[in-house]
Amino acid sequence: MLDQKELRDLEDILEQGKNSEEALAIDGLLGLLHAIAITPTPIMPSQWLPVVFDGEPAFDDVDQAQKMMTHLMHAYNHFIDLFHQDKLTFPFDLKFDDKNSLEKIAN
C-alpha cells in the first residue's frame, strides 16, 4: 500500500483545499480509489475528483493544484497497479444466484 509519507501528503491535500470541510477523509479517499480501481470500466478522474472534494476542487494557486493532482494521481495509479498485479480485489466473496439476487458468502 501507500507508505506513511504518501498518506500524510494525501491528508494534507484533503485539508488544504478551499472546500476541505466537505472533502473526504483519508479513509474515504482510499476506499474510493480501491473501488475505482476494481471497476470493470475505467472511471476518469474528472468523474471521481468532485466526489473527493464534494464538488470541484478549489485551491489557492496553480502550485497547490498541481501538487494535489500529482499526489492524487500517484495514489490512483498505485491502486490501478495493485489491481493489475492481482493484489487488489473486491473485499467480499459474492455470487449471483440469478439476475436479481446477490448473496454474500461467508468465508
Side-chain angles (χ1 to χ4, degrees):
M1 285 320 243
L2 299 169
D3 66 32
Q4 290 302 313
K5 181 181 180 334
E6 292 168 319
L7 290 173
R8 279 192 307 276
D9 289 342
L10 285 171
E11 283 180 307
D12 289 345
I13 291 297
L14 295 171
E15 293 171 2
Q16 288 175 4
K18 289 184 178 181
N19 49 351
S20 62
E21 294 290 323
E22 293 83 25
L24 291 177
I26 188 67
D27 291 339
L29 173 64
L30 297 177
L32 177 67
L33 293 176
H34 184 131
I36 289 167
I38 65 173
T39 60
T41 314
I43 299 174
M44 298 292 102
S46 61
Q47 295 175 283
W48 56 263
L49 278 171
V51 174
V52 172
F53 294 100
D54 193 32
E56 290 301 316
F59 291 90
D60 294 330
D61 54 45
V62 173
D63 289 338
Q64 192 181 47
Q66 286 177 330
K67 182 179 177 185
M68 180 266 309
M69 284 305 294
T70 298
H71 288 296
L72 284 174
M73 293 310 295
H74 173 75
Y76 170 72
N77 288 325
H78 179 76
F79 276 88
I80 297 293
D81 290 344
L82 287 174
F83 178 70
H84 288 293
Q85 295 169 20
D86 290 327
K87 295 180 181 177
L88 189 68
T89 59
F90 191 73
F92 303 104
D93 291 330
L94 299 173
K95 71 176 184 177
F96 292 94
D97 288 336
D98 59 46
K99 290 182 184 179
N100 301 317
S101 172
L102 182 65
E103 177 183 327
K104 181 178 176 185
I105 302 170
N107 289 345

